[in-house]
Amino acid sequence: MNRLAVHQSLVHPLDPLRLIDLVRETGWDSLGLHIGAVEETEPWWTGGAGEHLLAATVDRLLETRVTVLDVGRVVLEASLEPDTVHRAHGRVLDFGARLGAQFVTARFPEPSGSPLGATEMADRFARLAEQARPFRLRQLLAAVPVDRPDLLDEAVAVVAPSGGGLVLDVPVGGLDADVVTAGVTDYWEHLGYVRVDARSLEQAGEASAGQLAVLPPHVPVVLGGDQACGFLDVDRGERLSRLRTLVDGMLEHPRARALRETGRR
Protein backbone atom coordinates (compact mmCIF):
# COMPACT_ATOMS: atom_id res chain seq x y z
CA MET A 1 0.00 0.00 0.00
CA ASN A 2 1.17 3.51 -0.81
CA ARG A 3 2.01 5.67 2.18
CA LEU A 4 -0.38 8.65 2.23
CA ALA A 5 0.66 11.97 3.75
CA VAL A 6 -0.72 15.46 4.38
CA HIS A 7 1.52 18.51 4.22
CA GLN A 8 1.30 20.90 7.14
CA SER A 9 0.92 23.92 4.87
CA LEU A 10 -2.62 22.79 3.97
CA VAL A 11 -3.87 23.25 7.52
CA HIS A 12 -1.73 26.25 8.50
CA PRO A 13 -1.78 27.75 11.11
CA LEU A 14 -2.38 24.44 12.89
CA ASP A 15 0.83 23.34 14.57
CA PRO A 16 2.35 19.85 14.07
CA LEU A 17 0.80 18.45 17.24
CA ARG A 18 -2.74 19.26 16.16
CA LEU A 19 -1.97 18.08 12.64
CA ILE A 20 -0.80 14.70 13.93
CA ASP A 21 -4.11 14.23 15.76
CA LEU A 22 -6.04 15.30 12.65
CA VAL A 23 -4.06 12.94 10.41
CA ARG A 24 -4.76 10.02 12.71
CA GLU A 25 -8.48 10.83 12.98
CA THR A 26 -8.96 11.08 9.21
CA GLY A 27 -7.10 7.94 8.15
CA TRP A 28 -3.85 9.31 6.74
CA ASP A 29 -0.46 7.74 7.51
CA SER A 30 2.07 10.56 7.56
CA LEU A 31 2.74 14.26 7.37
CA GLY A 32 5.21 16.63 5.76
CA LEU A 33 6.75 19.56 7.63
CA HIS A 34 8.51 22.79 6.75
CA ILE A 35 11.32 23.29 9.27
CA GLY A 36 13.31 26.04 7.54
CA ALA A 37 13.25 28.65 4.76
CA VAL A 38 9.48 29.21 5.12
CA GLU A 39 8.57 32.33 7.07
CA GLU A 40 5.22 31.01 8.31
CA THR A 41 6.70 28.05 10.18
CA GLU A 42 10.46 28.58 10.65
CA PRO A 43 9.99 30.46 13.96
CA TRP A 44 8.23 27.39 15.42
CA TRP A 45 11.45 25.38 15.15
CA THR A 46 13.97 28.02 16.24
CA GLY A 47 15.80 28.23 19.55
CA GLY A 48 14.53 26.75 22.79
CA ALA A 49 10.92 26.81 21.60
CA GLY A 50 11.94 24.72 18.61
CA GLU A 51 13.60 22.11 20.80
CA HIS A 52 10.48 21.88 22.96
CA LEU A 53 8.24 21.51 19.90
CA LEU A 54 10.56 18.86 18.48
CA ALA A 55 10.41 16.80 21.68
CA ALA A 56 6.62 17.15 21.92
CA THR A 57 6.21 16.19 18.25
CA VAL A 58 8.35 13.07 18.65
CA ASP A 59 6.27 12.05 21.67
CA ARG A 60 3.00 12.55 19.77
CA LEU A 61 4.28 10.60 16.76
CA LEU A 62 5.20 7.66 18.98
CA GLU A 63 1.83 7.75 20.73
CA THR A 64 -0.23 7.88 17.53
CA ARG A 65 1.96 5.80 15.16
CA VAL A 66 1.76 8.63 12.64
CA THR A 67 5.05 9.19 10.80
CA VAL A 68 6.89 12.10 9.19
CA LEU A 69 7.50 11.52 5.50
CA ASP A 70 9.55 14.58 4.60
CA VAL A 71 10.99 17.80 5.93
CA GLY A 72 11.98 20.97 4.12
CA ARG A 73 12.88 23.30 2.86
CA VAL A 74 16.50 23.60 1.79
CA VAL A 75 17.26 26.41 -0.66
CA LEU A 76 20.16 25.39 -2.87
CA GLU A 77 22.18 28.59 -2.68
CA ALA A 78 25.61 28.87 -4.29
CA SER A 79 27.42 28.52 -0.95
CA LEU A 80 25.71 25.51 0.59
CA GLU A 81 28.43 24.98 3.16
CA PRO A 82 27.96 22.48 6.02
CA ASP A 83 25.78 24.07 8.69
CA THR A 84 27.29 22.44 11.75
CA VAL A 85 25.62 24.84 14.20
CA HIS A 86 22.18 24.09 12.71
CA ARG A 87 21.16 27.68 12.14
CA ALA A 88 19.70 27.13 8.69
CA HIS A 89 19.53 24.00 6.51
CA GLY A 90 21.53 22.09 9.13
CA ARG A 91 18.56 22.40 11.45
CA VAL A 92 16.30 20.97 8.73
CA LEU A 93 18.57 17.94 8.40
CA ASP A 94 19.03 17.46 12.14
CA PHE A 95 15.35 17.82 13.03
CA GLY A 96 14.36 15.69 10.04
CA ALA A 97 16.52 12.84 11.28
CA ARG A 98 15.21 13.15 14.83
CA LEU A 99 11.62 13.12 13.55
CA GLY A 100 12.31 9.96 11.55
CA ALA A 101 11.72 11.57 8.15
CA GLN A 102 12.59 9.70 4.97
CA PHE A 103 13.16 12.68 2.66
CA VAL A 104 14.41 16.26 2.70
CA THR A 105 13.07 18.51 -0.05
CA ALA A 106 15.06 21.22 -1.80
CA ARG A 107 14.54 23.96 -4.34
CA PHE A 108 16.77 26.33 -6.23
CA PRO A 109 16.46 30.05 -5.44
CA GLU A 110 14.45 32.28 -7.72
CA PRO A 111 16.76 33.40 -10.55
CA SER A 112 18.01 36.96 -10.28
CA GLY A 113 20.16 36.92 -13.40
CA SER A 114 21.28 34.30 -15.87
CA PRO A 115 19.71 30.87 -15.26
CA LEU A 116 21.86 28.25 -13.61
CA GLY A 117 23.52 25.71 -15.86
CA ALA A 118 22.87 22.00 -15.50
CA THR A 119 26.35 21.30 -14.11
CA GLU A 120 26.07 23.98 -11.42
CA MET A 121 22.61 22.72 -10.41
CA ALA A 122 23.83 19.13 -10.17
CA ASP A 123 26.86 20.24 -8.11
CA ARG A 124 24.70 22.14 -5.62
CA PHE A 125 22.31 19.22 -5.30
CA ALA A 126 25.23 16.84 -4.77
CA ARG A 127 26.51 19.03 -1.91
CA LEU A 128 23.15 18.64 -0.21
CA ALA A 129 23.29 14.88 -0.78
CA GLU A 130 26.67 14.69 0.92
CA GLN A 131 25.42 16.65 3.92
CA ALA A 132 22.12 14.74 4.16
CA ARG A 133 23.74 11.29 4.04
CA PRO A 134 24.85 11.18 7.72
CA PHE A 135 21.28 12.03 8.71
CA ARG A 136 19.92 9.14 6.58
CA LEU A 137 17.75 11.47 4.55
CA ARG A 138 17.28 11.17 0.80
CA GLN A 139 17.28 14.50 -0.97
CA LEU A 140 14.42 15.35 -3.36
CA LEU A 141 14.04 18.18 -5.85
CA ALA A 142 10.59 19.73 -5.49
CA ALA A 143 8.35 19.88 -7.38
CA VAL A 144 8.31 18.94 -11.07
CA PRO A 145 5.02 18.94 -13.07
CA VAL A 146 4.09 15.54 -14.46
CA ASP A 147 2.91 17.11 -17.73
CA ARG A 148 6.29 18.74 -18.46
CA PRO A 149 8.64 16.01 -19.75
CA ASP A 150 11.19 18.68 -20.68
CA LEU A 151 11.43 19.81 -17.05
CA LEU A 152 11.43 16.21 -15.85
CA ASP A 153 14.42 15.42 -18.06
CA GLU A 154 16.25 18.48 -16.72
CA ALA A 155 15.43 17.48 -13.13
CA VAL A 156 16.70 13.93 -13.63
CA ALA A 157 20.00 15.31 -14.94
CA VAL A 158 20.32 17.24 -11.67
CA VAL A 159 19.34 14.52 -9.18
CA ALA A 160 20.57 11.29 -10.75
CA PRO A 161 24.36 11.79 -10.37
CA SER A 162 24.07 12.01 -6.55
CA GLY A 163 21.37 9.38 -6.12
CA GLY A 164 18.63 11.83 -5.29
CA GLY A 165 15.05 11.89 -6.46
CA LEU A 166 12.26 14.24 -7.35
CA VAL A 167 8.79 15.18 -6.25
CA LEU A 168 6.39 14.50 -9.11
CA ASP A 169 3.64 17.13 -9.06
CA VAL A 170 0.17 16.01 -10.23
CA PRO A 171 -2.20 18.98 -10.67
CA VAL A 172 -5.21 16.62 -11.21
CA GLY A 173 -7.56 19.07 -12.93
CA GLY A 174 -7.65 18.96 -16.73
CA LEU A 175 -5.01 16.25 -16.83
CA ASP A 176 -5.37 13.10 -18.89
CA ALA A 177 -4.62 9.89 -17.00
CA ASP A 178 -2.27 8.85 -19.82
CA VAL A 179 -0.05 11.86 -19.04
CA VAL A 180 0.29 10.77 -15.43
CA THR A 181 0.91 7.17 -16.49
CA ALA A 182 3.70 8.29 -18.82
CA GLY A 183 5.31 10.41 -16.09
CA VAL A 184 5.22 7.56 -13.58
CA THR A 185 6.45 4.83 -15.93
CA ASP A 186 9.16 6.91 -17.61
CA TYR A 187 10.64 8.34 -14.41
CA TRP A 188 9.72 5.75 -11.76
CA GLU A 189 13.31 5.06 -10.66
CA HIS A 190 13.79 8.73 -9.78
CA LEU A 191 10.53 9.23 -7.87
CA GLY A 192 10.69 10.18 -4.22
CA TYR A 193 7.00 10.78 -3.89
CA VAL A 194 4.01 12.08 -5.83
CA ARG A 195 2.39 15.33 -4.74
CA VAL A 196 -1.31 15.75 -5.47
CA ASP A 197 -2.71 19.28 -5.57
CA ALA A 198 -5.37 19.44 -2.85
CA ARG A 199 -7.34 22.29 -4.38
CA SER A 200 -7.58 20.61 -7.79
CA LEU A 201 -8.44 17.25 -6.26
CA GLU A 202 -11.28 18.71 -4.23
CA GLN A 203 -12.66 20.33 -7.38
CA ALA A 204 -12.22 17.25 -9.59
CA GLY A 205 -13.79 14.82 -7.13
CA GLU A 206 -14.58 11.39 -8.55
CA ALA A 207 -13.29 12.44 -11.98
CA SER A 208 -9.77 11.91 -10.63
CA ALA A 209 -10.34 8.17 -10.13
CA GLY A 210 -7.60 5.95 -11.56
CA GLN A 211 -5.11 8.72 -12.37
CA LEU A 212 -2.43 7.06 -10.22
CA ALA A 213 -3.42 3.45 -10.94
CA VAL A 214 0.08 2.56 -12.21
CA LEU A 215 1.96 4.12 -9.29
CA PRO A 216 4.18 1.48 -7.63
CA PRO A 217 3.06 0.70 -4.06
CA HIS A 218 6.36 1.82 -2.51
CA VAL A 219 5.97 5.42 -3.79
CA PRO A 220 4.22 7.69 -1.25
CA VAL A 221 1.50 10.19 -2.15
CA VAL A 222 1.43 13.61 -0.49
CA LEU A 223 -1.52 15.99 -0.43
CA GLY A 224 -0.25 19.55 -0.85
CA GLY A 225 0.31 22.25 -3.45
CA ASP A 226 2.41 25.37 -4.03
CA GLN A 227 -0.53 27.75 -3.49
CA ALA A 228 -2.21 25.70 -0.79
CA CYS A 229 -1.07 27.38 2.42
CA GLY A 230 -4.09 27.44 4.73
CA PHE A 231 -6.35 25.93 2.06
CA LEU A 232 -8.10 23.67 4.58
CA ASP A 233 -9.24 26.51 6.81
CA VAL A 234 -12.70 25.19 7.69
CA ASP A 235 -14.22 21.73 8.15
CA ARG A 236 -10.71 20.28 8.15
CA GLY A 237 -11.63 16.83 9.43
CA GLU A 238 -14.51 16.29 7.03
CA ARG A 239 -12.55 17.55 4.04
CA LEU A 240 -9.42 15.54 4.84
CA SER A 241 -11.53 12.39 5.16
CA ARG A 242 -13.11 13.10 1.77
CA LEU A 243 -9.72 13.84 0.19
CA ARG A 244 -8.34 10.61 1.67
CA THR A 245 -11.13 8.71 -0.13
CA LEU A 246 -10.39 10.56 -3.38
CA VAL A 247 -6.66 9.79 -3.21
CA ASP A 248 -7.50 6.14 -2.65
CA GLY A 249 -9.68 6.31 -5.76
CA MET A 250 -6.80 7.79 -7.75
CA LEU A 251 -4.67 4.78 -6.78
CA GLU A 252 -7.31 2.16 -7.50
CA HIS A 253 -6.70 0.15 -10.66
CA PRO A 254 -9.69 -0.12 -13.03
CA ARG A 255 -9.79 -3.89 -12.53
CA ALA A 256 -9.98 -3.46 -8.76
CA ARG A 257 -12.74 -0.90 -9.17
CA ALA A 258 -14.71 -3.19 -11.47
CA LEU A 259 -14.46 -6.04 -8.97
CA ARG A 260 -15.50 -3.77 -6.12
CA GLU A 261 -18.51 -2.42 -8.02
CA THR A 262 -19.74 -5.66 -9.60
CA GLY A 263 -18.48 -8.29 -7.18
CA ARG A 264 -17.50 -10.46 -10.17
CA ARG A 265 -14.03 -11.42 -11.36
Side-chain angles (χ1 to χ4, degrees):
M1 295 291 290
N2 302 81
R3 189 173 168 192
L4 306 182
V6 176
H7 201 278
Q8 185 275 331
S9 59
L10 283 177
V11 299
H12 192 77
L14 286 192
D15 64 31
L17 301 179
R18 288 188 287 172
L19 174 57
I20 291 169
D21 292 339
L22 190 59
V23 163
R24 181 184 60 173
E25 292 164 4
T26 53
W28 295 80
D29 307 308
S30 303
L31 59 148
L33 296 171
H34 278 147
I35 305 292
V38 177
E39 64 181 12
E40 292 87 356
T41 58
E42 188 169 20
W44 292 356
W45 303 100
T46 303
E51 289 288 345
H52 286 301
L53 178 58
L54 174 67
T57 302
V58 170
D59 285 343
R60 191 67 59 87
L61 291 170
L62 294 173
E63 293 165 357
T64 59
R65 301 182 70 184
V66 171
T67 59
V68 174
L69 179 69
D70 76 304
V71 293
R73 167 184 305 163
V74 175
V75 180
L76 297 169
E77 304 283 359
S79 56
L80 194 71
E81 299 299 327
D83 178 21
T84 56
V85 295
H86 299 168
R87 289 179 178 170
H89 70 277
R91 183 172 64 252
V92 177
L93 298 177
D94 177 48
F95 280 24
R98 293 160 70 181
L99 289 165
Q102 182 177 355
F103 303 115
V104 56
T105 56
R107 293 175 183 247
F108 289 97
E110 292 295 326
S112 57
S114 301
L116 294 174
T119 300
E120 173 64 19
M121 295 171 74
D123 287 347
R124 292 190 190 185
F125 196 77
R127 286 201 291 273
L128 173 61
E130 183 178 356
Q131 295 176 40
R133 192 169 296 114
F135 295 94
R136 299 183 179 180
L137 294 167
R138 185 185 182 201
Q139 70 283 3
L140 302 180
L141 186 62
V144 190
V146 70
D147 56 349
R148 290 290 306 273
D150 56 326
L151 296 182
L152 285 166
D153 286 339
E154 291 176 7
V156 167
V158 170
V159 305
S162 57
L166 53 86
V167 176
L168 188 68
D169 195 38
V170 177
V172 185
L175 196 63
D176 192 286
D178 289 342
V179 174
V180 181
T181 297
V184 170
T185 55
D186 291 348
Y187 300 94
W188 67 269
E189 63 186 298
H190 304 290
L191 297 184
Y193 63 77
V194 168
R195 187 180 72 172
V196 173
D197 185 81
R199 190 183 303 273
S200 296
L201 179 59
E202 198 169 61
Q203 293 171 351
E206 298 289 346
S208 62
Q211 277 197 3
L212 296 176
V214 300
L215 189 68
H218 67 275
V219 178
V221 179
V222 175
L223 190 68
D226 280 339
Q227 307 302 321
C229 186
F231 173 60
L232 297 178
D233 55 348
V234 296
D235 301 324
R236 293 186 178 103
E238 180 180 342
R239 292 166 73 188
L240 273 178
S241 294
R242 170 62 174 160
L243 288 163
R244 170 66 176 77
T245 299
L246 291 175
V247 169
D248 192 59
M250 293 180 74
L251 291 163
E252 188 177 36
H253 194 276
R255 291 177 61 179
R257 183 171 187 173
L259 177 62
R260 175 172 56 81
E261 292 179 345
T262 65
R264 297 193 302 270
R265 294 187 180 277

